[in-house]
Each structure stands twice: as C-alpha cells, then as structure tokens.
Amino acid sequence: MEQSKTRMLAEAGVAIAIAQVLSFITIFHMPQGGSIKAAALVPLMIYAYRWGGTRGIFVGVVYGILHFILGFKSSVHYLSIVLDYLVAYGAIGVCGYFKDSLSGLITGSIVGIVLRWGASVTSGAVVFASYAPQGQNPWVYSMIYNASYMVPDGLLNIAVLLFVYQGVKRGLQRRG
C-alpha cells in the first residue's frame, strides 16, 4: 500500500515535469495568449487514466500552478489565473473517469479538452472582453478565439496519446 502511494506521487511528479518541458515547445502562439504546444497534455492524461479522475484533476491543478509560474502570462487577473490555469488544466484530469479502452481514451480526452476550452472561454468572455471586435459578443469572440488554437492542440494531444498509450501502459505494467 505504501509503495503504491509513493509510486503514485513519483509518477505525478514525472507527469507534471514532462508536461512542463513539453509546454516550452510552442508550435504556434496566439497574440493574446494561448498556443499549440508539443502534446504537453499527454503526460497529464496518461496519469489520469492510470490513477483515476480525482488524482488526475489534482495533478492537473498542480501542473496549472507550475505552468502559470513558469510560462507565458497573458493576464494576471485573478479570475484568469483561476479559470485558465487551475480549472482548465484540472479539467484535463476528468479523462481519468473514463474507461481504460480505446473509446474511453478518445471520449475522456475529448471531454477533458472541451472542459478546458469551456474554462478558457469563460475567462476570455469575462476578463478579455475588451479584445472582442466592436459590436461582437465577447462570448462568441472567446469561443472562436480559444477554439482556433485549442482544437488543433487537442487533436495533436489525442493523436499522440493514442500513438503512445499502449506502449506506456505495457511498460508500466511490466514495472508494476
């Protein structure tokens, strides 16, 4: 039992560290924040699938704190910090509530990414409303703006997750 807790904490640290390193590899950066990264969510998703949604959410929140401290900041408004970092990255851990199967992997990843998008849309509509073009609804602007980078980023993360997951799972089972 104690070994399992130690292993879980060690894997959490490794997942957060790998996600943070991957987040430094930016493929495309949006002008008001947000970017397509080199599959930085994959380690968080693998952790969530392995240890469950509750622990996955916690690790996502811890990653969000670290990512805020070390990453590019488009805002330091308290609501933006809560929604764009804590809630959005915590939402990725929700994928851990889905079954460990191909359909569960895909569905859980989509749900986590959509929840992340929803948190960022809310932040964008409330905190960044002034960036919306004159006469455009800030909610519509935020939905479009955030989808413009989160859809490709989400697809990239899901593709990489599907590519590496079975190998990672086999490796973890051999070691466990």
Side-chain angles (χ1 to χ4, degrees):
M1 179 72 170
E2 192 61 39
Q3 183 182 16
S4 179
K5 283 184 182 180
T6 303
R7 183 181 190 91
M8 178 188 63
L9 289 171
E11 286 181 24
V14 169
I16 291 167
I18 293 171
Q20 186 60 42
V21 168
L22 289 172
S23 79
F24 290 132
I25 304 169
T26 302
I27 297 167
F28 179 75
H29 189 76
M30 294 292 285
Q32 282 95 34
S35 55
I36 301 170
K37 309 272 185 178
L41 302 178
V42 170
L44 304 176
M45 291 176 178
I46 290 173
Y47 181 86
Y49 283 115
R50 179 154 161 78
W51 293 101
T54 303
R55 292 176 178 141
I57 290 169
F58 178 74
V59 164
V61 169
V62 172
Y63 169 75
I65 293 167
L66 183 67
H67 189 60
F68 173 75
I69 292 168
L70 299 177
F72 172 82
K73 293 162 197 60
S74 54
S75 170
V76 289
H77 188 281
Y78 75 94
L79 196 55
S80 174
I81 294 167
V82 169
L83 291 172
D84 287 327
Y85 294 94
L86 305 181
V87 175
Y89 289 111
I92 295 301
V94 168
C95 67
Y97 289 116
F98 289 79
K99 247 174 43 175
D100 187 13
S101 65
L102 183 61
S103 63
L105 228 59
I106 294 169
T107 305
S109 299
I110 291 170
V111 168
I113 290 166
V114 167
L115 289 172
R116 176 181 175 228
W117 173 77
S120 292
V121 165
T122 304
S123 172
V126 175
V127 177
F128 299 99
S130 63
Y131 288 103
Q134 186 70 29
Q136 186 173 23
N137 183 312
W139 287 94
V140 172
Y141 175 75
S142 184
M143 284 184 223
I144 294 168
Y145 181 88
N146 284 292
S148 70
Y149 70 89
M150 281 196 186
V151 168
D153 186 64
L155 292 173
L156 174 65
N157 277 282
I158 292 169
V160 170
L161 177 68
L162 293 174
F163 183 73
V164 302
Y165 185 73
Q166 288 304 320
V168 169
K169 185 177 171 183
R170 277 192 303 276
L172 288 171
Q173 285 172 343
R174 271 198 305 268
R175 296 225 165 277

